């Protein structure tokens, strides 16, 4: 079940015996690195060195990185024609924002950095590991005991490789033994002094495989770095490790090895005794000493690995065990009479027949057999398989397999049914004990009520890759409660939200259920059969057959406005900026502001969304708009694209990046009476300094809208409180953000109540709309929506209000929206180490954009709808839409989906 598209790094091990025989560095090695520095997380470098005696061509060599969960990626590839002289260096530096700041100039630069607790590696053009160093046990790159992380302090500190007596980089195969912390760092580049390399001897590791009782010779190669005019001799002796002479594992050696004059290689052989039965792998050492002349010992110890490959007879469930790593990892096994359940281009899955399945619900009865090429077996074949047990980034599999088909047309094992109970929705009682899916990996699964909850992800060679799914027909919605893994604050009567442990990925192409690069929109429902796999830190369902029950169409506009209705809407435009950088931070959030062409394209896409998806609201609150000028440009574009007339209203606030709230009003239908900011000059004590409370002061629009007879006056408040990016964290930044959001909501609540108690507004519909950056329920810290609407419950919030300010309470029209459609933002949350995955990322559908209605407005309420075009499409589709025409151009215009509220328009005199 490996991805057929080869996005993962090659698994580096020596014949399944990596724990005993670590892969050693070649002449090219990493000799110093820093993963953050004084300028921050991007202030990093990697120093590489040629420890050989001849120039080293490094064309096509890759520098890779891994995070703490084993996800890998290439950071840099050396261009063709690059070589390193003997004993010399090359320096690579991060070119990102606040990147490498050292005084020694980097010879080459890369754009994606390394994590503080990950790892680094050099790979040759075939993907073989040349050198690797790790800073956590979860890193895919490490040797022996990894180094401790240097933490997140922005200091000039890093790691440097020790050197041997001969001046060569020390490579014992144990990171903790070979590296030392340095502070400050002292990187070297191509112009730095090369380290002269004198003649030295090294002995290479070796291994043999035992398949029977016959003795096997294990030769060890001794290499002299430079040929000498006279013979060079060195003493070689064996030493016990897990393999011992006393146990009869091998014959001892105590001899002198000679490299003849003018030559660079010699060998010493150890006789290894055969085995009669399956058993553990073992190892011994060969040590060099007393080299003649001036020759030094660069690598004086080699490990001899004795690999017992006499197959262990086992059922599949004995091979897989209960955990992600097989108890038989690295062993040859023989498993017979199992059924082929799915076939891919490079392997197939087998499963124990029902009558031999074990009774342990925490072990899997299925496993993947990696063949590397198209298998000759078919689903329904009964096969015997002998292979080596491997762990491919937490995916158990059999490799180097011998396969014998004994029967065709066997009955497939009964599929596990995934529904609203399996996988579990309760993180305290997961389906597989410590995980929710591990006990199903490799097994057949049937899904009758599946829903695709995100459009396709995209990878470099896959425009339309995996999607996320649920098996209960529901969206992956943010539910009430304190965020999963965050402790419930003292005095808060709320549970933890589950974090949706039932969500998993689906890759429809790997077993050929559909063609590769088939796009899927979120909201599509399906039924399918297939197999559970694991890839890229996520459990994945790979269907063998799939039937789409209902395909979600995009874009999906809201309903046409009823004839006797007024339409009020809201849309976060996602950083609708101009070209001028005249604020503290860029409006764009990047290093530069958009070009004029980019602003024009954004304007056209927003026009397509407002006109084609939201269907031309009479009054539209817009958030994250830089200036009145760009908003006027959008009003003009709407007039050019549709038979309407819009006018823009915006008053600058206090945001350091210049984004504001505003209105677009259809002046061909609406007469604007007044637009004013609310409590714009309010201040608060921000960490000892007095600052403006509202970055984006609420904006009140009073207008007369057409009604059945005459006109109806309405009040609409556009809001955009502070974002909640720090709310669920700990520390002073989280406490500050919670307090500011709370005080902003208190300020707005007072303004709302003042309108409600104003006699001239008693019969006026009031709507408070926009991106509240808050859920429709409490997050356990400060219920912003509840506070503004007058439904704040101190028992559910860390920050206490006392009595509610707004009376009578406002009604949240979101409550009228069907549950599966209650979302306006898609946020992928990293839940850390959960379900046996580290980290586990889940896309969560959240309501951040709300419409709060007073009693009068609720009495006129007809409907609320979100216009779908930004959240549910594949990533590639969103990018392609930029050059599309018509309403499809709307897709990807923002990172929010906007909404509209329709109200019956009655003249004020009738109230």
């Amino acid at each position: 079940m490996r991805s057929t598209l080869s996005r993962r790094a090659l698994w580096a091990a020596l014949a399944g015996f990596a724990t005993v025989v670590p892969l050693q560095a070649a002449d090219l090695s990493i000799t110093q690195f820093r993963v953050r520095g004084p300028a921050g997380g991007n202030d990093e470098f990697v120093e590489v060195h040629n420890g050989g005696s001849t120039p080293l061509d490094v064309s096509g060599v890759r520098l890779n990185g891994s995070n703490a969960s084993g996800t890998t990626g290439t950071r840099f590839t050396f261009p063709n024609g690059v070589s390193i002289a003997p004993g010399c260096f090359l320096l690579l530096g991060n070119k990102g924002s606040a990147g490498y700041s050292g005084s020694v100039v980097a010879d080459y630069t890369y754009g994606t950095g390394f994590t503080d607790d990950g790892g680094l590696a050099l790979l040759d053009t075939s993907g073989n590991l040349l050198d690797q160093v790790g800073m956590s046990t979860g890193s895919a790159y490490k040797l022996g005991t990894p180094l401790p992380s240097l933490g997140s302090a922005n200091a000039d500190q890093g790691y440097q490789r020790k050197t041997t007596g001969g001046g060569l980089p020390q490579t014992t195969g144990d990171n903790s033994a070979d590296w030392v912390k340095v502070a400050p760092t002292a990187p070297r580049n191509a112009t730095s002094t090369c380290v002269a390399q004198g003649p030295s001897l090294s002995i290479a590791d070796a291994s043999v495989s035992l398949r029977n009782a016959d003795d096997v010779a294990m030769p060890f190669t001794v290499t002299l770095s430079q040929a000498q005019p006279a013979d060079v001799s060195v003493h070689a002796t064996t030493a016990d490790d897990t393999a011992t002479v006393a146990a009869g594992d091998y014959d001892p050696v105590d001899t002198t090895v000679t490299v003849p004059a003018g030559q660079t290689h010699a060998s010493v052989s150890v006789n290894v005794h055969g085995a009669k039965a399956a058993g553990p792998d073992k190892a011994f050492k060969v040590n060099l000493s007393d080299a003649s002349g001036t020759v030094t010992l660069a690598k004086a110890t080699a490990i001899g690995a004795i690999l017992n490959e006499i197959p262990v007879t086992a059922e599949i469930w004995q091979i897989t065990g209960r955990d992600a790593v097989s108890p038989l990892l690295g062993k040859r096994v023989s498993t017979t009479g199992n059924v082929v359940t799915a076939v891919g281009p490079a392997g197939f899955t087998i499963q124990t027949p029902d009558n031999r399945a074990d009774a342990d619900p925490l072990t899997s009865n299925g496993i993947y057999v990696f063949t590397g090429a198209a298998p000759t077996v078919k689903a329904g074949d009964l096969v015997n398989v002998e292979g080596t047990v491997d762990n491919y980034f937490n995916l158990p599999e059999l490799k180097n397999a011998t396969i014998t088909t004994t029967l065709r047309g066997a009955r497939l094992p009964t599929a596990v049914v995934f529904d609203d109970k399996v996988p579990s929705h309760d993180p305290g009682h997961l389906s597989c004990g410590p995980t929710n899916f591990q006990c199903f990996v490799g097994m057949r699964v049937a899904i009758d009520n599946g829903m695709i909850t995100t459009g396709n992800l995209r990878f470099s060679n896959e425009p339309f890759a995996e999607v996320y799914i649920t098996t209960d027909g529901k969206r992956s919605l943010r539910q009430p409660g304190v965020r999963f893994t965050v402790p419930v604050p003292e005095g808060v009567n709320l549970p933890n939200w589950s974090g949706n442990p039932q969500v998993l990925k689906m890759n429809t192409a790997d077993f050929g259920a559909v063609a590769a690069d088939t796009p899927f929109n979120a909201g599509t429902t399906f039924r399918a059969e297939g197999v559970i796999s694991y890839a890229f830190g996520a459990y994945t369902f790979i269907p063998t057959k799939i039937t789409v029950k209902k395909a979600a169409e995009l874009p999906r506009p809201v309903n046409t406005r009823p004839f006797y209705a007024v339409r009020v809407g809201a849309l976060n435009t996602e950083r609708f900026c101009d070209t001028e950088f005249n604020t503290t931070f860029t409006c764009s959030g990047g290093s530069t502001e958009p070009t004029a062409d980019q602003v024009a394209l954004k304007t056209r896409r927003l026009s397509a969304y407002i006109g084609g998806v939201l269907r031309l609201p009479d009054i539209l609150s817009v958030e994250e708009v830089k200036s009145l000028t760009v908003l006027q440009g959008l009003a003009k574009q709407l007039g050019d694209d549709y038979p309407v007339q819009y006018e823009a209203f915006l008053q600058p606030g206090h945001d350091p990046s210049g984004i504001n709230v505003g209105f677009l009003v259809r002046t061909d239908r609406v007469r604007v009476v007044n637009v004013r900011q609310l409590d714009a000059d309010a201040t608060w004590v921000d960490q000892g300094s007095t600052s403006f409370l509202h970055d984006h002061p609420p904006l009140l629009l009073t207008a007369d809208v057409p009604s059945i007879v005459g006109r109806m006056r309405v009040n609409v408040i556009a809001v955009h409180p502070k974002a909640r990016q720090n709310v669920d964290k700990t520390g002073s930044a989280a406490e500050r953000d919670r307090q500011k959001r709370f005080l902003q909501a208190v300020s707005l609540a007072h303004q709302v109540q003042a309108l409600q108690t104003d006699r001239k507004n008693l019969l006026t519909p009031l709507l408070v709309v926009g991106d509240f950056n808050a859920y429709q329920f409490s997050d356990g810290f400060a219920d912003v929506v509840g506070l503004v609407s007058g439904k704040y419950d101190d028992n559910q919030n860390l920050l206490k209000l006392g009595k509610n300010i707004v009376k009578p309470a406002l009604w949240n029209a979101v409550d009228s929206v069907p549950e599966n459609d209650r979302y306006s933002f898609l946020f992928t949350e990293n839940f850390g180490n959960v379900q046996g995955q580290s980290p586990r990322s889940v896309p969560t559908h959240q309501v951040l954009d709300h419409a709060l209605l007073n009693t009068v407005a609720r009495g006129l309420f007809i409907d609320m709808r979100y216009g779908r075009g930004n959240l549910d499409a594949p990533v590639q589709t969103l990018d392609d839409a930029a050059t599309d025409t018509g309403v499809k151009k709307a897709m990807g215009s923002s990172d929010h989906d906007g909404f509209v509220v329709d109200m019956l328009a009655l003249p004020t005199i009738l109230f």
Side-chain angles (χ1 to χ4, degrees):
M1 282 170 298
R2 292 176 173 181
S3 171
T4 62
L5 302 155
S6 302
R7 294 191 308 271
R8 290 173 283 189
L10 295 175
W11 178 250
L14 286 180
F17 200 61
T19 55
V20 177
V21 189
L23 193 63
Q24 300 294 339
D27 289 339
L28 182 67
S29 62
I30 302 167
T31 47
Q32 192 176 175
F33 67 91
R34 182 173 77 192
V35 293
R36 70 168 51 238
N42 285 337
D43 189 3
E44 55 181 39
F45 68 80
V46 180
E47 173 191 286
V48 298
H49 176 247
N50 175 10
S53 58
T54 59
L56 187 62
D57 183 3
V58 294
S59 302
V61 170
R62 287 179 285 155
L63 173 66
N64 270 26
S66 168
N67 63 15
S69 62
T71 302
T72 64
T74 298
R75 304 298 191 261
F76 178 77
T77 302
F78 283 97
N80 290 333
V82 177
S83 64
I84 308 176
C88 296
F89 304 87
L90 284 179
L91 185 64
L92 289 74
N94 191 326
K95 64 181 178 181
S97 176
Y100 171 59
S101 65
S103 59
V104 180
V105 178
D107 300 300
Y108 297 96
T109 57
Y110 54 89
T112 301
F114 298 90
T115 59
D116 296 327
D117 54 0
L120 301 79
L122 293 171
L123 289 77
D124 66 17
T125 54
S126 298
N128 300 311
L129 281 163
L130 302 174
D131 192 17
Q132 54 182 320
V133 56
M135 293 167 287
S136 67
T137 56
S139 171
Y141 302 130
K142 59 185 181 294
L143 284 174
T145 302
L147 305 172
S149 169
L150 294 174
S152 57
N154 294 333
D156 184 11
Q157 57 182 352
Y159 280 109
Q160 183 169 332
R161 189 184 288 274
K162 298 176 184 178
T163 56
T164 65
L168 292 170
Q170 178 172 303
T171 55
T172 66
D174 185 353
N175 288 159
S176 65
D178 292 341
W179 292 83
V180 61
K181 177 184 174 181
V182 289
T185 58
R188 293 161 288 190
N189 65 7
T191 64
S192 300
T193 302
C194 300
V195 179
Q197 304 298 310
S200 63
L201 281 168
S202 298
I203 184 169
D205 300 326
S207 66
V208 294
S209 297
L210 303 183
R211 299 300 302 269
N212 50 46
D214 295 340
D215 288 356
V216 181
M218 185 189 295
F220 291 81
T221 300
V222 177
T223 301
L224 182 62
S225 62
Q226 303 172 31
Q228 300 296 298
D231 290 354
V232 173
S233 62
V234 66
H235 194 65
T237 56
T238 53
D240 287 348
D241 198 295
T242 52
T244 66
V245 172
D249 295 318
Y250 69 98
D251 293 332
V253 168
D254 187 340
T255 188
T256 297
V257 181
T258 300
V259 181
Q263 302 296 313
T264 58
H265 292 86
S267 66
V268 57
S269 186
V270 177
N271 183 55
V272 176
H273 297 296
K276 298 180 179 179
D281 298 329
K282 297 182 179 181
F284 62 91
K285 298 177 181 178
V286 178
N287 297 315
L288 301 182
S289 61
D290 303 325
S292 63
T294 60
V295 175
T296 60
L297 295 176
K299 182 176 181 293
T301 299
I303 296 176
I306 303 174
L307 309 179
N308 187 317
E309 294 196 354
I310 298 175
V312 177
T313 300
E315 293 280 11
I316 292 175
W317 42 269
Q318 293 173 314
I319 299 170
T320 58
R322 287 187 167 194
D323 301 317
V325 178
S326 166
L328 297 175
L329 180 65
K331 301 301 299 179
R332 291 290 290 184
V333 296
S334 175
T335 184
T336 60
N338 297 300
V339 184
V340 176
T341 55
V343 179
F348 58 94
T349 54
I350 54 176
Q351 186 168 332
T352 311
D354 290 341
N355 64 340
R356 295 205 328 266
D358 71 327
D360 187 349
L362 300 185
T363 59
S364 170
N365 284 284
I367 196 168
Y368 181 66
V369 181
F370 176 65
T371 57
T376 57
V377 299
K378 296 180 180 180
D381 285 357
L382 206 64
V383 295
N384 300 334
V385 177
E386 180 187 310
T388 301
V389 181
D390 195 12
N391 187 286
Y392 192 79
F393 293 101
N394 286 345
L395 174 66
E397 67 177 23
L398 300 177
K399 66 178 184 179
N400 302 325
T402 301
I403 302 139
T404 303
T405 301
T406 61
L407 178 70
R408 298 194 183 276
R411 181 177 180 178
L412 297 180
T414 303
V416 177
V417 176
F418 275 17
D419 50 23
D420 60 343
K421 296 180 177 59
V422 180
S424 172
H425 291 52
D426 181 359
H429 299 85
L430 298 173
S431 295
C432 298
T435 79
N436 219 11
F437 298 97
Q438 185 64 41
C439 60
F440 305 118
V441 168
M443 293 181 63
R444 294 189 69 230
V445 164
I447 301 171
D448 187 60
N449 195 26
M451 173 176 279
I452 295 172
T453 65
T454 68
N456 303 73
L457 306 179
R458 178 178 61 191
F459 297 102
S460 58
N461 58 346
E462 284 181 89
F464 298 94
E466 294 103 327
V467 295
Y468 280 88
I469 65 169
T470 60
T471 62
D472 59 0
K474 296 181 179 180
R475 294 273 184 172
S476 175
L477 299 173
R478 176 58 159 95
Q479 299 288 356
V482 179
R483 184 192 186 275
F484 182 74
T485 72
V486 175
V488 176
E490 185 176 351
V492 173
N493 184 23
L494 279 177
N496 274 110
W497 165 56
S498 69
N500 291 343
Q502 72 276 11
V503 176
L504 70 160
K505 284 185 178 180
M506 177 171 72
N507 191 329
T508 56
D510 278 3
F511 283 155
V514 299
D517 292 325
T518 297
F520 289 97
N521 294 330
T524 296
T525 56
F526 67 91
R527 64 170 56 92
E529 292 182 4
V531 177
I532 296 297
S533 182
Y534 185 87
F536 300 102
Y539 290 99
T540 304
F541 172 65
I542 304 178
T544 52
K545 59 182 179 180
I546 184 170
T547 301
V548 171
K549 297 164 70 173
K550 183 178 181 181
E553 298 295 330
L554 287 177
R556 191 167 79 246
V558 298
N559 297 336
T560 303
R561 177 179 58 83
F563 181 71
Y564 293 115
V566 59
R567 172 160 289 179
V568 178
L571 173 64
N572 183 317
T573 61
E574 192 191 5
R575 304 254 168 197
F576 187 23
C577 306
D578 57 26
T579 61
E580 187 177 0
F581 183 13
N582 55 2
T583 49
T584 303
F585 305 113
T586 59
C587 169
S588 68
S591 57
T592 61
E593 299 292 30
T595 65
D597 287 343
Q598 289 170 331
V599 174
L601 175 60
K602 175 89 170 179
T603 302
R604 293 193 297 271
R605 298 183 78 177
L606 287 171
S607 175
Y609 188 89
I610 294 167
V613 179
L614 297 184
R615 290 185 166 169
L616 303 170
D618 297 308
I619 299 170
L620 180 68
S621 166
V622 287
E623 301 89 52
E624 294 195 15
V625 181
K626 169 71 179 295
S627 66
L628 180 60
T629 301
V630 293
L631 194 57
Q632 288 170 333
L634 178 54
K636 181 181 183 303
Q637 186 69 52
L638 283 160
D640 292 341
D641 294 341
Y642 304 95
V644 295
Q645 181 179 333
Y646 275 97
E647 185 175 352
F649 297 88
L650 181 144
Q651 295 180 15
H654 311 296
D655 189 282
S657 62
I659 58 174
N660 302 286
V661 296
F663 283 106
L664 285 170
V665 181
R666 279 193 61 178
T667 51
D668 56 330
R669 284 177 45 83
V670 177
R671 182 177 69 86
V672 176
V673 177
N674 187 33
V675 178
R676 62 185 176 93
Q677 289 180 334
L678 302 177
D679 217 9
D681 296 327
T683 60
W684 74 303
V685 179
D686 182 3
Q687 298 177 329
S689 300
T690 300
S691 302
F692 286 111
L693 177 61
H694 295 287
D695 300 309
H696 325 119
L699 194 61
L700 169 63
L701 170 79
T702 301
D704 291 334
V705 298
S707 68
I708 297 173
V709 179
R711 287 189 172 270
M712 177 177 74
R713 179 151 296 183
V714 297
N715 287 319
V716 182
I717 302 176
V719 301
H720 188 208
K722 179 168 182 53
R724 62 178 318 281
Q725 68 261 31
N726 291 319
V727 168
D728 295 321
K729 301 177 183 178
T730 58
S732 58
E735 293 171 357
R736 172 193 180 271
D737 284 9
R738 294 169 191 162
Q739 183 68 17
K740 185 171 184 178
R741 286 161 52 83
F742 177 79
L743 293 176
Q744 286 177 339
V746 169
S747 168
L748 178 56
H750 281 297
Q751 297 297 318
V752 169
Q753 187 62 11
L755 277 172
Q756 286 212 127
T757 56
D758 184 350
R759 292 181 60 85
K760 66 177 180 292
N761 288 306
L762 292 179
L763 299 179
T764 302
L766 169 65
L767 299 90
V768 186
V769 299
D771 176 6
F772 281 74
N773 275 316
Y775 312 133
Q776 67 272 41
F777 38 72
S778 176
D779 57 19
F781 299 101
D783 182 3
V784 170
V785 174
L787 203 160
V788 175
S789 63
K791 298 179 180 179
Y792 200 82
D793 184 349
D794 278 354
N795 291 326
Q796 294 186 356
N797 293 279
L798 175 66
L799 301 182
K800 308 302 183 183
L801 177 64
K803 294 182 179 180
N804 271 292
I805 298 166
V806 176
K807 297 178 182 179
L810 307 185
W811 173 67
N812 193 346
V814 168
D815 293 342
S816 72
V817 177
E819 184 179 8
N820 252 356
D821 210 35
R822 291 182 194 170
Y823 62 96
S824 64
F825 189 72
L826 183 62
F827 180 58
T828 298
E829 300 192 63
N830 184 335
F831 290 115
N833 190 359
V834 59
Q835 288 195 358
Q837 300 168 251
S838 177
R840 177 178 183 258
S841 294
V842 177
T844 304
H845 296 78
Q846 308 173 344
V847 177
L848 298 184
D849 303 80
H850 304 263
L852 307 182
L853 280 62
N854 71 351
T855 302
V856 178
R858 183 176 184 179
L860 301 173
F861 176 79
I862 299 173
D863 197 12
M864 178 180 181
R865 295 283 179 179
Y866 289 97
R868 302 303 178 193
N870 294 320
L871 306 182
D872 290 347
V875 175
Q876 184 65 47
T877 298
L878 296 178
D879 282 355
D880 292 343
T883 56
D884 219 320
T885 58
V887 70
K888 288 188 176 181
K889 185 180 287 291
M891 292 193 294
S893 57
S894 173
D895 58 352
H896 286 242
D897 274 343
F899 67 80
V900 295
V901 170
D902 289 331
M903 294 189 305
L904 184 64
L906 293 176
T908 304
I909 194 172
L910 297 181
F911 286 94

